[in-house]
Short mmCIF file of all heavy atoms in Angstrom, two decimals:
data_model
loop_
_atom_site.label_atom_id
_atom_site.label_comp_id
_atom_site.label_asym_id
_atom_site.label_seq_id
_atom_site.Cartn_x
_atom_site.Cartn_y
_atom_site.Cartn_z
N LYS A 28 -50.79 -12.56 -19.06
CA LYS A 28 -49.74 -13.36 -18.45
C LYS A 28 -49.99 -14.85 -18.78
O LYS A 28 -49.07 -15.65 -18.99
CB LYS A 28 -49.68 -13.04 -17.03
CG LYS A 28 -48.52 -13.80 -16.25
CD LYS A 28 -47.14 -13.22 -16.75
CE LYS A 28 -45.99 -13.65 -15.72
NZ LYS A 28 -45.87 -15.14 -15.55
N SER A 29 -51.26 -15.32 -18.72
CA SER A 29 -51.48 -16.72 -18.88
C SER A 29 -51.20 -17.13 -20.24
O SER A 29 -50.84 -18.24 -20.57
CB SER A 29 -52.91 -17.01 -18.51
OG SER A 29 -53.86 -16.35 -19.26
N ALA A 30 -51.48 -16.26 -21.22
CA ALA A 30 -51.16 -16.50 -22.70
C ALA A 30 -49.60 -16.64 -22.91
O ALA A 30 -49.19 -17.62 -23.57
CB ALA A 30 -51.73 -15.45 -23.49
N ILE A 31 -48.85 -15.82 -22.17
CA ILE A 31 -47.41 -15.87 -22.32
C ILE A 31 -46.92 -17.21 -21.73
O ILE A 31 -46.11 -17.86 -22.29
CB ILE A 31 -46.82 -14.68 -21.49
CG1 ILE A 31 -46.91 -13.38 -22.43
CG2 ILE A 31 -45.28 -14.83 -21.28
CD1 ILE A 31 -46.41 -12.07 -21.72
N ASP A 32 -47.42 -17.57 -20.60
CA ASP A 32 -47.01 -18.75 -19.96
C ASP A 32 -47.39 -19.98 -20.90
O ASP A 32 -46.64 -21.03 -20.92
CB ASP A 32 -47.73 -18.89 -18.57
CG ASP A 32 -47.26 -17.92 -17.51
OD1 ASP A 32 -46.05 -17.46 -17.84
OD2 ASP A 32 -47.85 -17.72 -16.39
N SER A 33 -48.59 -19.87 -21.44
CA SER A 33 -48.96 -21.01 -22.41
C SER A 33 -48.14 -21.17 -23.51
O SER A 33 -47.76 -22.28 -23.92
CB SER A 33 -50.41 -20.81 -22.77
OG SER A 33 -51.37 -20.94 -21.68
N PHE A 34 -47.75 -20.21 -24.19
CA PHE A 34 -46.78 -20.11 -25.24
C PHE A 34 -45.42 -20.78 -24.83
O PHE A 34 -44.99 -21.59 -25.49
CB PHE A 34 -46.53 -18.80 -26.04
CG PHE A 34 -45.68 -18.82 -27.17
CD1 PHE A 34 -46.12 -19.15 -28.39
CD2 PHE A 34 -44.29 -18.72 -27.08
CE1 PHE A 34 -45.25 -19.22 -29.61
CE2 PHE A 34 -43.38 -18.94 -28.09
CZ PHE A 34 -43.90 -19.10 -29.28
N LEU A 35 -44.87 -20.21 -23.80
CA LEU A 35 -43.60 -20.74 -23.43
C LEU A 35 -43.74 -22.23 -23.02
O LEU A 35 -42.78 -22.99 -23.22
CB LEU A 35 -43.13 -19.89 -22.19
CG LEU A 35 -42.81 -18.35 -22.49
CD1 LEU A 35 -42.40 -17.76 -21.28
CD2 LEU A 35 -41.64 -18.46 -23.53
N GLN A 36 -44.82 -22.63 -22.38
CA GLN A 36 -44.91 -24.04 -21.97
C GLN A 36 -44.94 -24.93 -23.17
O GLN A 36 -44.17 -25.86 -23.29
CB GLN A 36 -46.39 -24.23 -21.23
CG GLN A 36 -46.60 -25.68 -20.90
CD GLN A 36 -48.01 -25.87 -20.29
OE1 GLN A 36 -48.63 -24.91 -19.92
NE2 GLN A 36 -48.53 -27.10 -20.31
N GLY A 37 -45.69 -24.50 -24.25
CA GLY A 37 -45.68 -25.24 -25.59
C GLY A 37 -44.33 -25.28 -26.28
O GLY A 37 -43.84 -26.33 -26.66
N TYR A 38 -43.70 -24.11 -26.34
CA TYR A 38 -42.42 -23.95 -26.88
C TYR A 38 -41.36 -24.78 -26.29
O TYR A 38 -40.50 -25.53 -26.94
CB TYR A 38 -42.09 -22.47 -27.04
CG TYR A 38 -41.08 -22.11 -28.24
CD1 TYR A 38 -41.42 -21.82 -29.43
CD2 TYR A 38 -39.72 -22.19 -27.89
CE1 TYR A 38 -40.43 -21.58 -30.41
CE2 TYR A 38 -38.76 -21.91 -28.73
CZ TYR A 38 -39.02 -21.52 -30.03
OH TYR A 38 -38.11 -21.31 -31.04
N VAL A 39 -41.09 -24.50 -25.03
CA VAL A 39 -39.96 -25.19 -24.33
C VAL A 39 -40.31 -26.68 -24.19
O VAL A 39 -39.24 -27.44 -24.23
CB VAL A 39 -39.87 -24.60 -22.87
CG1 VAL A 39 -38.84 -25.24 -22.06
CG2 VAL A 39 -39.51 -23.05 -23.08
N SER A 40 -41.51 -27.12 -24.12
CA SER A 40 -41.71 -28.60 -24.05
C SER A 40 -41.28 -29.28 -25.27
O SER A 40 -40.95 -30.42 -25.18
CB SER A 40 -43.32 -28.84 -23.85
OG SER A 40 -44.01 -28.48 -25.12
N VAL A 41 -41.27 -28.64 -26.45
CA VAL A 41 -40.74 -29.18 -27.62
C VAL A 41 -39.27 -29.16 -27.89
O VAL A 41 -38.64 -30.02 -28.27
CB VAL A 41 -41.45 -28.51 -28.87
CG1 VAL A 41 -40.91 -28.97 -30.11
CG2 VAL A 41 -42.94 -29.03 -28.81
N ILE A 42 -38.77 -27.97 -27.55
CA ILE A 42 -37.32 -27.73 -28.00
C ILE A 42 -36.38 -27.37 -26.77
O ILE A 42 -35.25 -27.14 -26.98
CB ILE A 42 -37.24 -26.56 -29.06
CG1 ILE A 42 -35.97 -26.63 -29.91
CG2 ILE A 42 -37.51 -25.18 -28.34
CD1 ILE A 42 -36.02 -25.63 -31.06
N GLY A 43 -36.98 -27.39 -25.66
CA GLY A 43 -36.12 -27.03 -24.45
C GLY A 43 -34.91 -27.86 -24.21
O GLY A 43 -33.95 -27.16 -23.84
N GLU A 44 -34.92 -29.04 -24.59
CA GLU A 44 -33.84 -30.03 -24.36
C GLU A 44 -32.58 -29.59 -25.31
O GLU A 44 -31.48 -29.91 -25.07
CB GLU A 44 -34.07 -31.37 -24.64
CG GLU A 44 -34.62 -31.66 -26.04
CD GLU A 44 -34.85 -33.19 -26.18
OE1 GLU A 44 -34.37 -33.96 -25.46
OE2 GLU A 44 -35.76 -33.48 -27.07
N HIS A 45 -32.98 -28.73 -26.43
CA HIS A 45 -32.01 -28.22 -27.35
C HIS A 45 -31.41 -26.88 -27.11
O HIS A 45 -30.46 -26.49 -27.72
CB HIS A 45 -32.41 -28.41 -28.73
CG HIS A 45 -32.80 -29.76 -29.23
ND1 HIS A 45 -31.93 -30.72 -29.62
CD2 HIS A 45 -34.01 -30.43 -29.26
CE1 HIS A 45 -32.49 -31.84 -29.94
NE2 HIS A 45 -33.66 -31.66 -29.75
N MET A 46 -32.14 -26.23 -26.01
CA MET A 46 -31.72 -24.89 -25.86
C MET A 46 -30.53 -24.81 -24.79
O MET A 46 -30.41 -25.59 -23.86
CB MET A 46 -32.83 -24.18 -25.08
CG MET A 46 -34.11 -23.98 -26.07
SD MET A 46 -35.48 -23.03 -25.43
CE MET A 46 -34.82 -21.35 -25.29
N THR A 47 -29.69 -23.81 -24.99
CA THR A 47 -28.57 -23.58 -24.14
C THR A 47 -29.17 -22.81 -22.89
O THR A 47 -30.23 -22.24 -22.89
CB THR A 47 -27.53 -22.69 -24.71
OG1 THR A 47 -28.02 -21.37 -24.98
CG2 THR A 47 -27.03 -23.42 -26.05
N SER A 48 -28.26 -22.84 -21.81
CA SER A 48 -28.66 -22.18 -20.60
C SER A 48 -28.74 -20.60 -20.82
O SER A 48 -29.64 -19.93 -20.21
CB SER A 48 -27.61 -22.49 -19.47
OG SER A 48 -26.43 -21.97 -19.82
N GLU A 49 -27.95 -20.13 -21.73
CA GLU A 49 -27.97 -18.69 -22.00
C GLU A 49 -29.34 -18.24 -22.81
O GLU A 49 -29.94 -17.32 -22.58
CB GLU A 49 -26.90 -18.26 -22.93
CG GLU A 49 -25.43 -18.21 -22.22
CD GLU A 49 -24.81 -19.61 -22.20
OE1 GLU A 49 -25.45 -20.70 -22.67
OE2 GLU A 49 -23.74 -19.72 -21.64
N GLU A 50 -29.76 -19.21 -23.74
CA GLU A 50 -30.93 -18.96 -24.31
C GLU A 50 -32.20 -19.01 -23.35
O GLU A 50 -33.01 -18.12 -23.51
CB GLU A 50 -31.27 -20.13 -25.52
CG GLU A 50 -30.36 -19.94 -26.76
CD GLU A 50 -30.52 -21.05 -27.64
OE1 GLU A 50 -30.59 -22.31 -27.26
OE2 GLU A 50 -30.54 -20.92 -28.85
N LYS A 51 -32.22 -19.86 -22.49
CA LYS A 51 -33.29 -20.00 -21.49
C LYS A 51 -33.12 -18.69 -20.50
O LYS A 51 -34.15 -18.14 -20.16
CB LYS A 51 -33.12 -21.19 -20.65
CG LYS A 51 -33.39 -22.31 -21.42
CD LYS A 51 -33.29 -23.69 -20.54
CE LYS A 51 -33.70 -24.98 -21.44
NZ LYS A 51 -33.41 -26.19 -20.75
N GLU A 52 -31.89 -18.26 -20.16
CA GLU A 52 -31.76 -17.10 -19.34
C GLU A 52 -32.32 -15.75 -20.02
O GLU A 52 -32.79 -14.86 -19.38
CB GLU A 52 -30.24 -16.87 -19.06
CG GLU A 52 -29.94 -15.70 -18.16
CD GLU A 52 -28.42 -15.45 -18.08
OE1 GLU A 52 -27.69 -16.49 -18.50
OE2 GLU A 52 -27.95 -14.41 -17.63
N MET A 53 -32.27 -15.73 -21.28
CA MET A 53 -32.71 -14.53 -22.06
C MET A 53 -34.20 -14.44 -22.43
O MET A 53 -34.71 -13.52 -22.84
CB MET A 53 -31.86 -14.38 -23.34
CG MET A 53 -30.44 -14.04 -23.14
SD MET A 53 -30.14 -12.25 -22.40
CE MET A 53 -29.82 -12.75 -20.72
N ILE A 54 -34.95 -15.62 -22.08
CA ILE A 54 -36.39 -15.64 -22.44
C ILE A 54 -37.09 -14.53 -21.87
O ILE A 54 -38.00 -13.85 -22.57
CB ILE A 54 -36.99 -16.94 -21.99
CG1 ILE A 54 -36.55 -18.02 -23.00
CG2 ILE A 54 -38.40 -16.90 -21.98
CD1 ILE A 54 -37.00 -19.54 -22.63
N PRO A 55 -36.89 -14.00 -20.54
CA PRO A 55 -37.70 -12.92 -20.02
C PRO A 55 -37.36 -11.57 -20.70
O PRO A 55 -38.09 -10.66 -20.68
CB PRO A 55 -37.09 -12.86 -18.51
CG PRO A 55 -36.65 -14.16 -18.28
CD PRO A 55 -36.10 -14.70 -19.58
N TYR A 56 -36.26 -11.53 -21.45
CA TYR A 56 -35.93 -10.31 -22.20
C TYR A 56 -36.61 -10.44 -23.72
O TYR A 56 -36.62 -9.37 -24.30
CB TYR A 56 -34.44 -10.22 -22.42
CG TYR A 56 -33.75 -9.66 -21.10
CD1 TYR A 56 -33.17 -10.65 -20.20
CD2 TYR A 56 -33.44 -8.39 -20.90
CE1 TYR A 56 -32.49 -10.41 -19.07
CE2 TYR A 56 -32.71 -7.93 -19.74
CZ TYR A 56 -32.34 -8.99 -18.93
OH TYR A 56 -31.72 -8.68 -17.77
N SER A 57 -36.98 -11.52 -24.05
CA SER A 57 -37.26 -11.71 -25.53
C SER A 57 -38.41 -10.89 -26.01
O SER A 57 -38.37 -10.18 -27.10
CB SER A 57 -37.56 -13.22 -25.75
OG SER A 57 -38.69 -13.52 -25.15
N GLY A 58 -39.57 -10.84 -25.20
CA GLY A 58 -40.68 -9.99 -25.56
C GLY A 58 -40.33 -8.56 -25.66
O GLY A 58 -40.83 -7.84 -26.55
N ILE A 59 -39.59 -8.10 -24.67
CA ILE A 59 -39.08 -6.63 -24.56
C ILE A 59 -38.29 -6.34 -25.92
O ILE A 59 -38.40 -5.37 -26.47
CB ILE A 59 -38.34 -6.39 -23.30
CG1 ILE A 59 -39.08 -6.98 -22.08
CG2 ILE A 59 -38.09 -4.86 -23.20
CD1 ILE A 59 -38.09 -6.96 -20.97
N TYR A 60 -37.40 -7.19 -26.09
CA TYR A 60 -36.41 -7.04 -27.23
C TYR A 60 -37.23 -6.84 -28.46
O TYR A 60 -36.92 -5.87 -29.42
CB TYR A 60 -35.56 -8.29 -27.21
CG TYR A 60 -34.43 -8.26 -28.37
CD1 TYR A 60 -33.13 -7.68 -28.01
CD2 TYR A 60 -34.69 -8.56 -29.73
CE1 TYR A 60 -32.13 -7.65 -28.93
CE2 TYR A 60 -33.57 -8.45 -30.66
CZ TYR A 60 -32.31 -8.06 -30.38
OH TYR A 60 -31.38 -7.92 -31.20
N MET A 61 -38.14 -7.78 -28.83
CA MET A 61 -38.91 -7.73 -30.10
C MET A 61 -39.83 -6.47 -30.05
O MET A 61 -40.03 -6.00 -31.20
CB MET A 61 -39.47 -9.06 -30.44
CG MET A 61 -38.57 -10.14 -30.76
SD MET A 61 -37.48 -9.70 -32.19
CE MET A 61 -38.53 -9.37 -33.41
N SER A 62 -40.39 -6.22 -29.01
CA SER A 62 -41.33 -5.17 -28.94
C SER A 62 -40.50 -3.76 -29.16
O SER A 62 -41.13 -2.88 -29.91
CB SER A 62 -42.09 -4.98 -27.70
OG SER A 62 -42.86 -6.14 -27.45
N ALA A 63 -39.44 -3.74 -28.59
CA ALA A 63 -38.47 -2.45 -28.85
C ALA A 63 -38.08 -2.32 -30.19
O ALA A 63 -38.20 -1.36 -30.85
CB ALA A 63 -37.37 -2.54 -27.87
N ILE A 64 -37.65 -3.47 -30.78
CA ILE A 64 -37.26 -3.40 -32.22
C ILE A 64 -38.40 -2.81 -33.24
O ILE A 64 -38.13 -2.10 -33.99
CB ILE A 64 -36.70 -4.80 -32.74
CG1 ILE A 64 -35.22 -4.99 -32.45
CG2 ILE A 64 -37.00 -4.94 -34.14
CD1 ILE A 64 -34.61 -6.13 -33.02
N MET A 65 -39.50 -3.53 -32.94
CA MET A 65 -40.66 -3.00 -33.76
C MET A 65 -41.03 -1.58 -33.45
O MET A 65 -41.38 -0.85 -34.45
CB MET A 65 -41.87 -3.95 -33.53
CG MET A 65 -41.61 -5.38 -33.95
SD MET A 65 -41.12 -5.54 -35.73
CE MET A 65 -42.38 -4.70 -36.64
N GLY A 66 -40.96 -1.12 -32.33
CA GLY A 66 -41.24 0.26 -31.93
C GLY A 66 -40.18 1.11 -32.61
O GLY A 66 -40.52 2.23 -33.22
N TYR A 67 -38.89 0.69 -32.56
CA TYR A 67 -37.87 1.55 -33.27
C TYR A 67 -38.12 1.62 -34.71
O TYR A 67 -37.96 2.63 -35.45
CB TYR A 67 -36.51 0.89 -33.12
CG TYR A 67 -35.85 0.92 -31.66
CD1 TYR A 67 -34.66 0.22 -31.42
CD2 TYR A 67 -36.56 1.59 -30.67
CE1 TYR A 67 -34.11 0.27 -30.18
CE2 TYR A 67 -35.99 1.50 -29.36
CZ TYR A 67 -34.85 0.91 -29.14
OH TYR A 67 -34.26 0.92 -27.94
N ARG A 68 -38.51 0.46 -35.38
CA ARG A 68 -38.71 0.33 -36.84
C ARG A 68 -39.80 1.12 -37.21
O ARG A 68 -39.79 1.97 -38.38
CB ARG A 68 -38.85 -1.09 -37.28
CG ARG A 68 -37.61 -1.90 -37.06
CD ARG A 68 -37.78 -3.26 -37.61
NE ARG A 68 -37.97 -3.34 -38.96
CZ ARG A 68 -38.48 -4.42 -39.66
NH1 ARG A 68 -38.59 -5.54 -38.97
NH2 ARG A 68 -38.63 -4.42 -40.93
#
């Protein structure tokens, strides 16, 4: 969990001001989404 928090801290600190509210809302789904896609593939 601390690694996830660290990545998001670094990522959002740089580009957060350019992100839409919907993009920020979907962040909690993002890791699930990409893990599922890779599992499917």
Side-chain angles (χ1 to χ4, degrees):
K28 185 68 165 54
S29 61
I31 287 177
D32 290 343
S33 294
F34 180 86
L35 291 176
Q36 178 186 344
Y38 196 90
V39 175
S40 70
V41 170
I42 202 171
E44 64 180 330
H45 297 280
M46 295 179 70
T47 66
S48 59
E49 290 86 357
E50 286 174 318
K51 293 177 180 178
E52 181 186 344
M53 290 295 104
I54 286 177
Y56 288 89
S57 63
I59 311 168
Y60 185 94
M61 290 305 302
S62 300
I64 272 194
M65 294 309 300
Y67 293 174
R68 293 180 64 193

